Amino acid sequence: THLNTYESVTPDPDVDVIIIGAGISGSAAAKALHDQGASVLVVEANDRIGGRTWTEQEGAPGGPIDYGGMFIGETHTHLIELGTSLGLEMTPSGKPGDDTYIVAGNVLRAPDDQLDPNLPFVPEFLSSLKALDELADSVGWDQPWASPNAAALDSKTVATWLAETIESEEVRRLHTVIVNTLLGADPYEVSLLYWAYYVSECEGIQSLMGTRDGAQWAWWFGGAAQVSWRIADAIGRDKFLLEWPVDRIEHDESGVTLFSGQRSLRARHIVIAMSPLAANQIRFEPALPTSRAQLQARAPMGRYYKVQARYPSSFWVEQGYSGALLDTEDVGVFLLDGTKPTDTLATLIGFIGGSNYDRWAAHTPQERERAFLDLLVKAFGPQAADPSYFHETDWTQQEWAKGGPVTYMPPGVLANFGAALRDPVGKVHFAGTEASFQWSGYMEGGVRAGQKAAAAIAEELERTANKGALV
Ligand SMILES: Cc1cc2nc3c(=O)[nH]c(=O)nc-3n(C[C@H](O)[C@H](O)[C@H](O)COP(=O)(O)OP(=O)(O)OC[C@H]3O[C@@H](n4cnc5c(N)ncnc54)[C@H](O)[C@@H]3O)c2cc1C
């Protein structure tokens, strides 16, 4: 026999679809495809399921702990429906009491989420948030690269915009810490177009920064990674191959072959369910189109610590403070209460990103713990000095995530290559939270992008099956 055509030497696909990445997006894609009768496999580089959601149920005293994504937003409808369908239950995250700001040496309280409007910088802070929302509306989330001023906005950084539009140093510092903690990057690193798009696709800056509503509304009892774990249980843990880092992909119209060292698998379609930065570590044959290749090469991840201190009681709530804190000075942290009703210790969670991450990383773990606790003492009193448990997760050091919490874009990326976030390349589909139209950056975006890729593939599988039947 003559094996003289490529088709004739191509082995039959092992499965209909292989999903690369067992984060929430890949897991949601796998479930959607499995539910529609497709055969699926999920391959995951790490030795655990969950990606940027990472739960230890026995790992810490006081209750399950989330080292990664955790908060569920009020409008995270796809995530809520998926988690609930898997038997998970939610609990509201917000605590009663005043929010706290540390600005220009002062510890300021904000009852009902409102800073005192008589403080000199507050009117400008409020008007600047409104201006940001207006800019976000003008860019939109659907096709930000096609918005009227896309090229001009993508040639500027957020820092330029802050310098041009904001007088007060305090207000610029507040915006800086907001960008640090939401994107893990500094305003001077982030394209203004990207920031406006991000604010738009997450329903506005108030929604992003809400300390008891908006994006920070609720949690799953037991931890966020359970969404992916339960999907694996439902469709079969044997369908999830761990410690299977894909390093090479060969693709053509007949299917896709994946390689991990000497191992290989073949599928009709694949879903790349990870950030552009993670996908950039995979070699493609033939090479990806320029727009996708450029996107992957030029869209980094933020730099990020998640820090958690646990105490015998929520002494801050007893004193009338919600635990929410925005510190523009010592550490540059966004802090939230993380205590669930079933926990036996109370938790404060801090997020540190961008140049604050860089400053923080230059210290020893002991110095970092001291500095963090000093800040909590300044905000909530001496009881904060002595936690029962302290933990920091350095996401920048995570081998497969390579950063956190999300992807950001410097100037010149979104306007030129943004469409490649979502467009498939032949049999290669892209999911991961970055591919979502809305709530990109969040677990919700991961679920939406995974389900969308799954729907597109299911349609294609059905079309080819029907074509086969007709022949
Ligand atoms: C500290 C932190 C706090 C956050 N807080 C929140 C929050 O409160 N609420 C919220 O909604 N979101 C939050 N997020 C963001 C949220 O966690 C992510 O948006 C979401 O989990 C992304 O899911 P994903 O499946 O798209 O990507 P990932 O979870 O990154 O999944 C990608 C998977 O691909 C794997 N992978 C990478 N390379 C390869 C390869 N070559 N071969 C095979 N597998 C590979 C990775 O190991 C990973 O498992 C937070 C993130 C962090 C880091």
Side-chain angles (χ1 to χ4, degrees):
T1 53
H2 297 282
L3 298 178
N4 54 6
T5 63
Y6 179 69
E7 280 82 350
S8 64
V9 293
T10 303
D12 277 344
D14 299 311
V15 285
D16 292 330
V17 190
I18 296 177
I19 291 121
I20 311 176
I24 199 164
S25 193
S27 307
K31 179 172 190 308
L33 283 158
H34 174 83
D35 289 351
Q36 297 194 55
S39 58
V40 296
L41 271 180
V42 182
V43 296
E44 164 59 48
N46 217 330
D47 59 3
R48 61 176 177 82
I49 293 172
R52 277 174 274 171
T53 62
W54 182 7
T55 304
E56 290 272 10
Q57 290 196 312
E58 315 290 338
I65 190 160
D66 274 307
Y67 301 133
M70 174 174 175
F71 288 86
I72 303 164
E74 274 177 290
T75 57
H76 292 183
T77 48
H78 295 60
L79 171 64
I80 293 169
E81 194 182 323
L82 177 61
T84 308
S85 76
L86 294 162
L88 298 178
E89 285 177 28
M90 290 189 297
T91 177
S93 57
K95 298 295 184 297
D98 299 358
D99 293 351
T100 301
Y101 290 75
I102 300 184
V103 181
N106 299 307
V107 178
L108 307 169
R109 307 300 177 182
D112 304 321
D113 304 348
Q114 302 299 317
L115 275 164
D116 178 356
N118 297 314
L119 289 165
F121 69 89
V122 170
E124 193 182 28
F125 183 44
L126 298 179
S127 66
S128 68
L129 294 178
K130 198 157 162 265
L132 178 57
D133 275 335
E134 283 164 9
L135 191 65
D137 285 346
S138 78
V139 166
W141 49 263
D142 188 7
Q143 291 192 300
W145 43 87
S147 61
N149 288 321
L153 294 174
D154 208 29
S155 70
K156 271 189 187 179
T157 66
V158 179
T160 309
W161 180 75
L162 295 178
E164 283 172 359
T165 63
I166 294 174
E167 299 253 312
S168 134
E169 175 59 25
E170 288 89 339
V171 177
R172 286 199 291 264
R173 285 291 308 150
L174 280 161
H175 278 271
T176 298
V177 178
I178 289 171
V179 175
N180 292 157
T181 50
L182 290 179
L183 298 182
D186 259 67
Y188 66 80
E189 298 173 290
V190 180
S191 146
L192 183 56
L193 181 71
Y194 186 76
W195 181 226
Y197 150 72
Y198 201 81
V199 171
S200 167
E201 57 104 7
C202 296
E203 302 174 6
I205 191 66
Q206 303 291 353
S207 148
L208 277 166
M209 290 302 295
T211 54
R212 65 199 90 222
D213 49 17
Q216 281 72 232
W217 177 63
W219 305 300
W220 299 119
F221 279 109
Q226 292 175 111
V227 176
S228 298
W229 300 350
R230 292 205 178 189
I231 289 172
D233 289 340
I235 68 181
R237 288 253 169 182
D238 59 327
K239 303 285 192 312
F240 282 64
L241 309 184
L242 302 185
E243 299 183 271
W244 218 99
V246 173
D247 48 43
R248 189 157 68 86
I249 291 175
E250 287 178 7
H251 59 114
D252 60 44
E253 59 288 353
S254 70
V256 185
T257 308
L258 313 181
F259 298 88
S260 182
Q262 299 303 308
R263 299 173 291 185
S264 69
L265 285 167
R266 191 160 167 81
R268 279 178 223 286
H269 299 266
I270 62 163
V271 180
I272 311 251
M274 63 186 75
S275 69
L277 176 68
N280 199 39
Q281 298 185 99
I282 302 173
R283 206 171 111 210
F284 285 83
E285 293 170 23
L288 290 170
T290 302
S291 56
R292 179 71 204 184
Q294 282 292 303
L295 171 80
Q296 292 185 173
R298 294 166 58 162
M301 277 288 236
R303 321 191 276 300
Y304 218 51
Y305 277 109
K306 181 171 180 178
V307 185
Q308 315 199 46
R310 291 188 157 177
Y311 297 91
S313 74
S314 305
F315 57 88
W316 53 93
V317 175
E318 288 153 24
Q319 292 166 30
Y321 308 131
S322 66
L325 165 80
L326 198 67
D327 161 49
T328 65
E329 303 209 322
D330 301 348
V331 181
V333 71
F334 183 40
L335 192 84
L336 290 162
D337 182 302
T339 318
K340 292 176 189 165
T342 44
D343 290 346
T344 54
L345 294 174
T347 306
L348 287 170
I349 306 175
F351 301 101
I352 299 168
S355 59
N356 300 312
Y357 171 96
D358 304 333
R359 281 195 298 129
W360 197 245
H363 292 283
T364 65
Q366 293 74 17
E367 287 167 346
R368 292 199 289 267
E369 179 171 349
R370 198 65 267 147
F372 189 74
L373 297 177
D374 285 350
L375 175 77
L376 299 190
V377 167
K378 187 167 171 181
F380 305 126
Q383 275 171 286
D386 192 21
S388 314
Y389 171 79
F390 182 89
H391 186 272
E392 62 172 23
T393 315
D394 180 349
W395 276 90
T396 310
Q397 288 291 320
Q398 294 302 313
E399 185 178 7
W400 298 108
K402 298 249 179 278
V406 296
T407 293
Y408 73 90
M409 293 189 194
V413 183
L414 186 61
N416 293 325
F417 313 116
L421 280 169
R422 306 162 183 162
D423 291 347
V425 175
K427 307 284 182 194
V428 180
H429 292 252
F430 296 98
T433 189
E434 285 79 6
S436 182
F437 282 81
Q438 281 185 291
W439 289 108
S440 170
Y442 287 74
M443 298 183 288
E444 171 71 6
V447 173
R448 289 191 194 197
Q451 292 176 344
K452 186 162 166 276
I457 292 174
E459 210 173 275
E460 230 172 293
L461 285 171
E462 198 172 300
R463 217 176 25 241
T464 37
N466 289 343
K467 214 159 88 190
L470 285 174
V471 170

mmCIF file of all heavy atoms in Angstrom, residues 254-284:
data_model
loop_
_atom_site.group_PDB
_atom_site.id
_atom_site.type_symbol
_atom_site.label_atom_id
_atom_site.label_comp_id
_atom_site.label_asym_id
_atom_site.label_seq_id
_atom_site.Cartn_x
_atom_site.Cartn_y
_atom_site.Cartn_z
ATOM 1 N N SER A 254 -7.866 18.841 8.510
ATOM 2 C CA SER A 254 -8.357 17.514 8.910
ATOM 3 C C SER A 254 -8.340 17.327 10.427
ATOM 4 O O SER A 254 -8.897 16.367 10.940
ATOM 5 C CB SER A 254 -7.524 16.422 8.245
ATOM 6 O OG SER A 254 -6.239 16.405 8.810
ATOM 7 N N GLY A 255 -7.703 18.222 11.165
ATOM 8 C CA GLY A 255 -7.677 18.087 12.620
ATOM 9 C C GLY A 255 -6.416 18.671 13.223
ATOM 10 O O GLY A 255 -5.675 19.399 12.564
ATOM 11 N N VAL A 256 -6.204 18.311 14.485
ATOM 12 C CA VAL A 256 -5.113 18.925 15.241
ATOM 13 C C VAL A 256 -4.364 17.853 16.025
ATOM 14 O O VAL A 256 -4.991 16.972 16.626
ATOM 15 C CB VAL A 256 -5.673 19.969 16.239
ATOM 16 C CG1 VAL A 256 -4.538 20.701 16.943
ATOM 17 C CG2 VAL A 256 -6.587 20.960 15.547
ATOM 18 N N THR A 257 -3.051 17.905 15.999
ATOM 19 C CA THR A 257 -2.248 17.006 16.829
ATOM 20 C C THR A 257 -1.510 17.840 17.874
ATOM 21 O O THR A 257 -0.903 18.865 17.542
ATOM 22 C CB THR A 257 -1.222 16.221 15.977
ATOM 23 O OG1 THR A 257 -1.923 15.612 14.891
ATOM 24 C CG2 THR A 257 -0.546 15.141 16.804
ATOM 25 N N LEU A 258 -1.630 17.391 19.117
ATOM 26 C CA LEU A 258 -0.977 18.093 20.226
ATOM 27 C C LEU A 258 0.206 17.279 20.702
ATOM 28 O O LEU A 258 0.110 16.050 20.783
ATOM 29 C CB LEU A 258 -1.911 18.201 21.435
ATOM 30 C CG LEU A 258 -3.340 18.649 21.242
ATOM 31 C CD1 LEU A 258 -4.012 18.682 22.604
ATOM 32 C CD2 LEU A 258 -3.340 20.018 20.621
ATOM 33 N N PHE A 259 1.254 17.956 21.090
ATOM 34 C CA PHE A 259 2.432 17.264 21.604
ATOM 35 C C PHE A 259 2.792 17.791 22.987
ATOM 36 O O PHE A 259 2.704 18.991 23.242
ATOM 37 C CB PHE A 259 3.628 17.484 20.681
ATOM 38 C CG PHE A 259 3.417 16.934 19.296
ATOM 39 C CD1 PHE A 259 2.813 17.703 18.313
ATOM 40 C CD2 PHE A 259 3.805 15.627 18.997
ATOM 41 C CE1 PHE A 259 2.610 17.184 17.038
ATOM 42 C CE2 PHE A 259 3.605 15.111 17.725
ATOM 43 C CZ PHE A 259 3.003 15.890 16.745
ATOM 44 N N SER A 260 3.198 16.865 23.839
ATOM 45 C CA SER A 260 3.795 17.227 25.120
ATOM 46 C C SER A 260 5.032 16.357 25.242
ATOM 47 O O SER A 260 4.937 15.172 25.571
ATOM 48 C CB SER A 260 2.811 16.948 26.267
ATOM 49 O OG SER A 260 3.379 17.336 27.488
ATOM 50 N N GLY A 261 6.168 16.918 24.916
ATOM 51 C CA GLY A 261 7.374 16.087 24.830
ATOM 52 C C GLY A 261 7.153 14.993 23.798
ATOM 53 O O GLY A 261 6.778 15.263 22.664
ATOM 54 N N GLN A 262 7.326 13.740 24.225
ATOM 55 C CA GLN A 262 7.177 12.592 23.319
ATOM 56 C C GLN A 262 5.715 12.156 23.167
ATOM 57 O O GLN A 262 5.397 11.326 22.322
ATOM 58 C CB GLN A 262 7.983 11.396 23.848
ATOM 59 C CG GLN A 262 9.480 11.641 23.958
ATOM 60 C CD GLN A 262 10.085 12.059 22.623
ATOM 61 O OE1 GLN A 262 9.903 11.391 21.607
ATOM 62 N NE2 GLN A 262 10.781 13.199 22.604
ATOM 63 N N ARG A 263 4.838 12.673 23.984
ATOM 64 C CA ARG A 263 3.436 12.240 23.938
ATOM 65 C C ARG A 263 2.662 13.047 22.908
ATOM 66 O O ARG A 263 2.938 14.225 22.715
ATOM 67 C CB ARG A 263 2.774 12.434 25.314
ATOM 68 C CG ARG A 263 3.429 11.624 26.415
ATOM 69 C CD ARG A 263 2.863 11.959 27.777
ATOM 70 N NE ARG A 263 3.222 13.312 28.251
ATOM 71 C CZ ARG A 263 2.921 13.799 29.447
ATOM 72 N NH1 ARG A 263 2.224 13.066 30.301
ATOM 73 N NH2 ARG A 263 3.290 15.011 29.796
ATOM 74 N N SER A 264 1.681 12.401 22.286
ATOM 75 C CA SER A 264 0.836 13.170 21.372
ATOM 76 C C SER A 264 -0.603 12.687 21.439
ATOM 77 O O SER A 264 -0.882 11.561 21.870
ATOM 78 C CB SER A 264 1.368 13.088 19.938
ATOM 79 O OG SER A 264 1.199 11.783 19.438
ATOM 80 N N LEU A 265 -1.507 13.557 21.048
ATOM 81 C CA LEU A 265 -2.946 13.257 21.000
ATOM 82 C C LEU A 265 -3.499 13.942 19.763
ATOM 83 O O LEU A 265 -2.963 14.955 19.312
ATOM 84 C CB LEU A 265 -3.654 13.843 22.227
ATOM 85 C CG LEU A 265 -3.464 13.143 23.563
ATOM 86 C CD1 LEU A 265 -3.973 14.045 24.685
ATOM 87 C CD2 LEU A 265 -4.206 11.798 23.580
ATOM 88 N N ARG A 266 -4.616 13.378 19.267
ATOM 89 C CA ARG A 266 -5.191 14.007 18.073
ATOM 90 C C ARG A 266 -6.691 14.222 18.265
ATOM 91 O O ARG A 266 -7.385 13.400 18.860
ATOM 92 C CB ARG A 266 -4.921 13.109 16.864
ATOM 93 C CG ARG A 266 -5.244 13.789 15.567
ATOM 94 C CD ARG A 266 -4.584 13.165 14.363
ATOM 95 N NE ARG A 266 -5.213 13.726 13.167
ATOM 96 C CZ ARG A 266 -4.913 14.900 12.639
ATOM 97 N NH1 ARG A 266 -3.969 15.653 13.177
ATOM 98 N NH2 ARG A 266 -5.547 15.348 11.565
ATOM 99 N N ALA A 267 -7.168 15.367 17.765
ATOM 100 C CA ALA A 267 -8.593 15.700 17.893
ATOM 101 C C ALA A 267 -9.057 16.390 16.619
ATOM 102 O O ALA A 267 -8.243 16.887 15.841
ATOM 103 C CB ALA A 267 -8.799 16.641 19.082
ATOM 104 N N ARG A 268 -10.382 16.387 16.447
ATOM 105 C CA ARG A 268 -10.928 17.139 15.305
ATOM 106 C C ARG A 268 -10.771 18.648 15.501
ATOM 107 O O ARG A 268 -10.484 19.381 14.583
ATOM 108 C CB ARG A 268 -12.425 16.830 15.156
ATOM 109 C CG ARG A 268 -12.710 15.552 14.438
ATOM 110 C CD ARG A 268 -14.198 15.270 14.358
ATOM 111 N NE ARG A 268 -14.420 13.873 14.654
ATOM 112 C CZ ARG A 268 -14.127 12.890 13.816
ATOM 113 N NH1 ARG A 268 -13.642 13.142 12.634
ATOM 114 N NH2 ARG A 268 -14.325 11.633 14.167
ATOM 115 N N HIS A 269 -11.019 19.089 16.735
ATOM 116 C CA HIS A 269 -10.926 20.516 17.071
ATOM 117 C C HIS A 269 -10.206 20.646 18.406
ATOM 118 O O HIS A 269 -10.256 19.732 19.215
ATOM 119 C CB HIS A 269 -12.326 21.130 17.256
ATOM 120 C CG HIS A 269 -13.177 21.065 16.041
ATOM 121 N ND1 HIS A 269 -13.268 22.087 15.130
ATOM 122 C CD2 HIS A 269 -13.981 20.082 15.583
ATOM 123 C CE1 HIS A 269 -14.092 21.747 14.158
ATOM 124 N NE2 HIS A 269 -14.547 20.531 14.400
ATOM 125 N N ILE A 270 -9.636 21.812 18.629
ATOM 126 C CA ILE A 270 -9.110 22.083 19.976
ATOM 127 C C ILE A 270 -9.575 23.460 20.454
ATOM 128 O O ILE A 270 -9.922 24.326 19.655
ATOM 129 C CB ILE A 270 -7.565 22.026 20.065
ATOM 130 C CG1 ILE A 270 -6.909 23.082 19.172
ATOM 131 C CG2 ILE A 270 -7.044 20.635 19.760
ATOM 132 C CD1 ILE A 270 -5.452 23.342 19.535
ATOM 133 N N VAL A 271 -9.581 23.584 21.776
ATOM 134 C CA VAL A 271 -9.844 24.874 22.409
ATOM 135 C C VAL A 271 -8.617 25.225 23.234
ATOM 136 O O VAL A 271 -8.193 24.441 24.086
ATOM 137 C CB VAL A 271 -11.078 24.824 23.340
ATOM 138 C CG1 VAL A 271 -11.321 26.190 23.976
ATOM 139 C CG2 VAL A 271 -12.308 24.331 22.605
ATOM 140 N N ILE A 272 -8.043 26.393 22.990
ATOM 141 C CA ILE A 272 -6.945 26.895 23.817
ATOM 142 C C ILE A 272 -7.591 27.742 24.902
ATOM 143 O O ILE A 272 -8.050 28.859 24.620
ATOM 144 C CB ILE A 272 -5.988 27.768 22.982
ATOM 145 C CG1 ILE A 272 -5.611 27.057 21.693
ATOM 146 C CG2 ILE A 272 -4.789 28.241 23.797
ATOM 147 C CD1 ILE A 272 -4.241 26.563 21.565
ATOM 148 N N ALA A 273 -7.643 27.208 26.105
ATOM 149 C CA ALA A 273 -8.385 27.877 27.184
ATOM 150 C C ALA A 273 -7.410 28.423 28.210
ATOM 151 O O ALA A 273 -7.311 27.928 29.331
ATOM 152 C CB ALA A 273 -9.378 26.908 27.815
ATOM 153 N N MET A 274 -6.685 29.453 27.814
ATOM 154 C CA MET A 274 -5.683 30.064 28.699
ATOM 155 C C MET A 274 -5.427 31.483 28.213
ATOM 156 O O MET A 274 -5.930 31.888 27.166
ATOM 157 C CB MET A 274 -4.400 29.229 28.671
ATOM 158 C CG MET A 274 -3.761 29.179 27.297
ATOM 159 S SD MET A 274 -2.328 28.071 27.181
ATOM 160 C CE MET A 274 -3.114 26.477 27.176
ATOM 161 N N SER A 275 -4.605 32.209 28.963
ATOM 162 C CA SER A 275 -4.311 33.600 28.594
ATOM 163 C C SER A 275 -3.452 33.628 27.333
ATOM 164 O O SER A 275 -2.753 32.653 27.017
ATOM 165 C CB SER A 275 -3.553 34.274 29.736
ATOM 166 O OG SER A 275 -2.256 33.709 29.836
ATOM 167 N N PRO A 276 -3.451 34.756 26.607
ATOM 168 C CA PRO A 276 -2.560 34.881 25.449
ATOM 169 C C PRO A 276 -1.092 34.623 25.819
ATOM 170 O O PRO A 276 -0.363 33.976 25.064
ATOM 171 C CB PRO A 276 -2.765 36.335 25.004
ATOM 172 C CG PRO A 276 -4.154 36.677 25.457
ATOM 173 C CD PRO A 276 -4.335 35.925 26.749
ATOM 174 N N LEU A 277 -0.674 35.096 26.997
ATOM 175 C CA LEU A 277 0.721 34.890 27.416
ATOM 176 C C LEU A 277 1.027 33.401 27.565
ATOM 177 O O LEU A 277 2.077 32.925 27.125
ATOM 178 C CB LEU A 277 0.987 35.612 28.744
ATOM 179 C CG LEU A 277 2.383 35.410 29.341
ATOM 180 C CD1 LEU A 277 3.447 36.085 28.496
ATOM 181 C CD2 LEU A 277 2.454 35.930 30.769
ATOM 182 N N ALA A 278 0.108 32.657 28.183
ATOM 183 C CA ALA A 278 0.332 31.210 28.346
ATOM 184 C C ALA A 278 0.348 30.538 26.975
ATOM 185 O O ALA A 278 1.197 29.681 26.692
ATOM 186 C CB ALA A 278 -0.748 30.612 29.248
ATOM 187 N N ALA A 279 -0.576 30.937 26.096
ATOM 188 C CA ALA A 279 -0.647 30.314 24.762
ATOM 189 C C ALA A 279 0.623 30.585 23.964
ATOM 190 O O ALA A 279 1.007 29.800 23.097
ATOM 191 C CB ALA A 279 -1.872 30.839 24.011
ATOM 192 N N ASN A 280 1.276 31.693 24.283
ATOM 193 C CA ASN A 280 2.480 32.077 23.531
ATOM 194 C C ASN A 280 3.647 31.124 23.772
ATOM 195 O O ASN A 280 4.643 31.176 23.067
ATOM 196 C CB ASN A 280 2.894 33.505 23.904
ATOM 197 C CG ASN A 280 3.806 34.115 22.875
ATOM 198 O OD1 ASN A 280 3.608 33.912 21.677
ATOM 199 N ND2 ASN A 280 4.818 34.832 23.317
ATOM 200 N N GLN A 281 3.519 30.251 24.775
ATOM 201 C CA GLN A 281 4.603 29.298 25.029
ATOM 202 C C GLN A 281 4.483 28.043 24.169
ATOM 203 O O GLN A 281 5.349 27.172 24.227
ATOM 204 C CB GLN A 281 4.596 28.906 26.500
ATOM 205 C CG GLN A 281 4.852 30.096 27.396
ATOM 206 C CD GLN A 281 4.962 29.671 28.826
ATOM 207 O OE1 GLN A 281 6.056 29.512 29.341
ATOM 208 N NE2 GLN A 281 3.826 29.458 29.459
ATOM 209 N N ILE A 282 3.395 27.958 23.409
ATOM 210 C CA ILE A 282 3.177 26.777 22.566
ATOM 211 C C ILE A 282 3.635 27.090 21.140
ATOM 212 O O ILE A 282 3.352 28.180 20.626
ATOM 213 C CB ILE A 282 1.683 26.395 22.576
ATOM 214 C CG1 ILE A 282 1.212 26.121 24.007
ATOM 215 C CG2 ILE A 282 1.435 25.199 21.668
ATOM 216 C CD1 ILE A 282 -0.294 25.906 24.134
ATOM 217 N N ARG A 283 4.335 26.132 20.503
ATOM 218 C CA ARG A 283 4.768 26.325 19.108
ATOM 219 C C ARG A 283 3.683 25.819 18.179
ATOM 220 O O ARG A 283 3.163 24.718 18.378
ATOM 221 C CB ARG A 283 6.044 25.532 18.903
ATOM 222 C CG ARG A 283 6.916 26.071 17.823
ATOM 223 C CD ARG A 283 8.253 25.346 17.857
ATOM 224 N NE ARG A 283 8.354 24.509 16.674
ATOM 225 C CZ ARG A 283 9.039 23.381 16.634
ATOM 226 N NH1 ARG A 283 9.658 22.935 17.706
ATOM 227 N NH2 ARG A 283 9.105 22.709 15.514
ATOM 228 N N PHE A 284 3.304 26.608 17.194
ATOM 229 C CA PHE A 284 2.249 26.213 16.256
ATOM 230 C C PHE A 284 2.837 25.918 14.885
ATOM 231 O O PHE A 284 3.665 26.680 14.382
ATOM 232 C CB PHE A 284 1.211 27.335 16.117
ATOM 233 C CG PHE A 284 0.296 27.454 17.293
ATOM 234 C CD1 PHE A 284 0.681 28.154 18.415
ATOM 235 C CD2 PHE A 284 -0.958 26.849 17.285
ATOM 236 C CE1 PHE A 284 -0.158 28.257 19.523
ATOM 237 C CE2 PHE A 284 -1.805 26.944 18.377
ATOM 238 C CZ PHE A 284 -1.402 27.646 19.503
#
